[in-house]
Amino acid sequence: MKTKFIKRIWLLLLSVGPGIFCIGYTIGTGSVTSMAKAGSEFGTQLLWVLVISVLFAWLLMEAYGRYAVVTGETAIHSIRKKIKYGNILAIFIVTGVVIGQWNSLSGILGLSANAIYELIQLFFPGAVSGNYWVVLGIAIFLIVTLYGLLLVGKYSFFEKILIVFVTFMGVSFLISMFIVLPDPSEIVAGLKPSIPKAPGGKLMVAAFVGTTMAAPTFVVRPLLMKGKGWGKEHTKEQSRDALISAILMFIISASILLTATGALFHEGKVIHKVLDMVSTLEPVAGKFAVAIFVIGTLSAGLSSIFPILMVAPLLIADYKNGEFDTNSKQFKILTGIAVLFGLLIPIIGANPIVAQIATQVANVFVLPFVIGAIAYLVNNKRDMGSHKAGVVLNIGLLSAFVFSCFIAYNGIIALTELF
């Protein structure tokens, strides 16, 4: 009976394959950093931003997914071919997404390596010494292993690995949340829109949107649909995939925010990096609860590294001919360059936290263009036929566009104040 239940869960997760990649792009250590830091500083005050961001993320996944399965075409290739001045727009989107993701990769790898180091130190104090060299060694081992898996794997293989990482991440953060769950009235209060007036409040709002409404999540989605072999007959599966992945995004992100709120906010303990949770959570939740949170953080990092390594070759191949090819020479070279770029922060031994949050903010500047492009494509009656966007989807896309412009403006102000 137990085996049958586990098998059903596994099959359910496999049925939302492209959504698993979306979660990998969306929830990484950058996201964990943003959620944990916001929870420790502002409690549940920014929960409303998360709700709106996930809602719009769902609409955008639905729009890009619907376009992909109905037309059989991919995002960047279609933008280049079917929109006036689309060549320039496609290059801008690809460049913005790749730069943002590679910058994020270096911080994610550093944080993941540190998570493993802290986990060893937590249970075996003094077992390893010399933080810099140990962390660097762990980072090199992680990135080389994942790169090796990329070179030998196929789409279905990548999918299964990500399912393992995302499952560990989700379960770990949910357990952590229930251990230190804040008062329900506090959670409800967080649904009322307000922007913290404290320093860094605007920056966190923009970071929340940048990490949840992540541009690569949407533009890569059609390629993943193609890789899975989904066509017009899979419109229902596509919609279910978008909805389930959005729900999982919200549950995982909210659990991180609420964990930090319950454990740290009322104690007046502000974290500056995710691994600060190790020292501040332990007196509240105990050593093993902290270990669960660290495992979740590590899983978040690993689930992001895989898709980020793939983003440049996928989008460039998409720009050229709309084909998903993980065996090409171009794929191997570009993922190799990403590997070297990812080792930058671990090699120089820098603290990646500020860069991580700034990267999440930078992501919002590409977002309005990504939304505008799919709004045009999904309303093309000649391509979409009866699957053309209806009133509800169009209202949602318009609202998402206005919201993204507001957040981009807010992000400019926040970065100006920061630097």
Side-chain angles (χ1 to χ4, degrees):
M1 189 73 179
K2 188 178 179 182
T3 306
K4 286 184 178 180
F5 176 75
I6 294 172
K7 189 175 180 180
R8 285 179 184 176
I9 295 295
W10 180 255
L11 290 173
L12 174 65
L13 290 169
L14 280 176
S15 72
V16 290
I20 291 292
F21 266 81
C22 291
I23 294 170
Y25 275 119
T26 305
I27 303 176
T29 49
S31 177
V32 177
T33 302
S34 300
M35 300 296 161
K37 185 171 175 59
S40 69
E41 277 191 69
F42 310 119
T44 61
Q45 191 176 355
L46 294 180
L47 186 59
W48 68 275
V49 181
L50 179 61
V51 172
I52 293 176
S53 298
V54 169
L55 177 62
F56 287 147
W58 167 50
L59 289 171
L60 287 164
M61 284 191 288
E62 166 63 29
Y64 270 95
R66 184 189 300 187
Y67 179 80
V69 297
V70 171
T71 65
E73 297 180 5
T74 51
I76 300 300
H77 190 69
S78 295
I79 290 170
R80 181 168 76 94
K81 291 291 186 181
K82 298 185 177 184
I83 298 177
K84 192 174 182 180
Y85 304 116
N87 192 47
I88 297 172
L89 179 58
I91 291 172
F92 173 77
I93 291 174
V94 170
T95 304
V97 168
V98 170
I99 290 175
Q101 291 295 291
W102 280 9
N103 281 334
S104 182
L105 175 62
S106 193
I108 286 171
L109 185 59
L111 285 167
S112 298
N114 270 282
I116 294 176
Y117 177 83
E118 292 293 339
L119 201 57
I120 296 171
Q121 287 288 88
L122 185 64
F123 289 97
F124 306 100
V128 290
S129 58
N131 181 293
Y132 171 79
W133 290 108
V134 175
V135 169
L136 178 58
I138 293 171
I140 292 172
F141 173 78
L142 284 177
I143 200 72
V144 169
T145 300
L146 291 177
Y147 180 60
L149 291 173
L150 275 180
L151 296 183
V152 300
K154 294 183 179 180
Y155 176 81
S156 60
F157 176 68
F158 304 149
E159 201 174 76
K160 288 179 176 66
I161 290 177
L162 280 178
I163 287 172
V164 173
F165 289 151
V166 169
T167 301
F168 270 116
M169 175 173 64
V171 171
S172 299
F173 289 141
L174 277 173
I175 292 173
S176 300
M177 178 189 72
F178 283 114
I179 291 172
V180 292
L181 190 67
D183 191 272
S185 62
E186 197 173 356
I187 297 174
V188 173
L191 299 174
K192 181 182 178 181
S194 64
I195 296 177
K197 295 181 181 179
K202 290 188 180 70
L203 188 71
M204 290 310 304
V205 171
F208 261 47
V209 177
T211 191
T212 308
M213 293 175 68
T217 299
F218 314 127
V219 296
V220 171
R221 185 169 170 79
L223 272 169
L224 301 177
M225 298 277 177
K226 201 167 186 178
K228 197 169 178 69
W230 282 5
K232 192 178 288 189
E233 67 277 12
H234 295 98
T235 51
K236 287 184 179 179
E237 287 88 343
Q238 183 282 130
S239 293
R240 181 181 63 184
D241 178 83
L243 179 60
I244 293 177
S245 58
I247 291 171
L248 290 175
M249 281 181 201
F250 176 76
I251 290 172
I252 295 171
S253 298
S255 65
I256 302 166
L257 176 70
L258 295 177
T259 299
T261 299
L264 309 174
F265 177 63
H266 297 295
E267 302 294 323
K269 298 174 180 176
V270 177
I271 65 170
H272 301 289
K273 56 184 178 180
V274 173
L275 296 176
D276 287 345
M277 297 286 279
V278 172
S279 57
T280 52
L281 258 179
E282 189 172 356
V284 180
K287 184 178 289 187
F288 284 95
V290 175
I292 290 170
F293 188 88
V294 174
I295 289 170
T297 302
L298 176 61
S299 298
L302 296 178
S303 69
S304 292
I305 291 173
F306 228 163
I308 290 174
L309 286 175
M310 297 170 68
V311 72
L314 289 182
L315 291 184
I316 291 172
D318 189 358
Y319 178 85
K320 289 181 177 179
N321 54 22
E323 290 298 322
F324 181 93
D325 185 7
T326 60
N327 296 313
S328 68
K329 185 177 180 181
Q330 176 179 277
F331 180 88
K332 295 173 183 176
I333 292 173
L334 288 172
T335 50
I337 293 171
V339 165
L340 296 175
F341 203 95
L343 285 170
L344 185 62
I345 291 294
I347 287 173
I348 64 177
N351 187 332
I353 301 303
V354 175
Q356 278 279 282
I357 293 176
T359 298
Q360 304 302 332
V361 175
N363 286 337
V364 303
F365 301 124
V366 181
L367 194 56
F369 298 95
V370 170
I371 297 171
I374 193 57
Y376 177 87
L377 292 173
V378 85
N379 277 286
N380 188 329
K381 191 173 177 66
R382 186 178 61 184
D383 288 337
M384 296 298 294
S386 61
H387 296 282
K388 175 180 171 288
V391 175
V392 175
L393 183 56
N394 276 320
I395 290 174
L397 289 173
L398 178 61
S399 302
F401 180 78
V402 172
F403 180 68
S404 69
C405 290
F406 168 74
I407 295 299
Y409 172 73
N410 189 71
I412 292 172
I413 295 174
L415 288 176
T416 303
E417 291 175 353
L418 179 66
F419 298 108

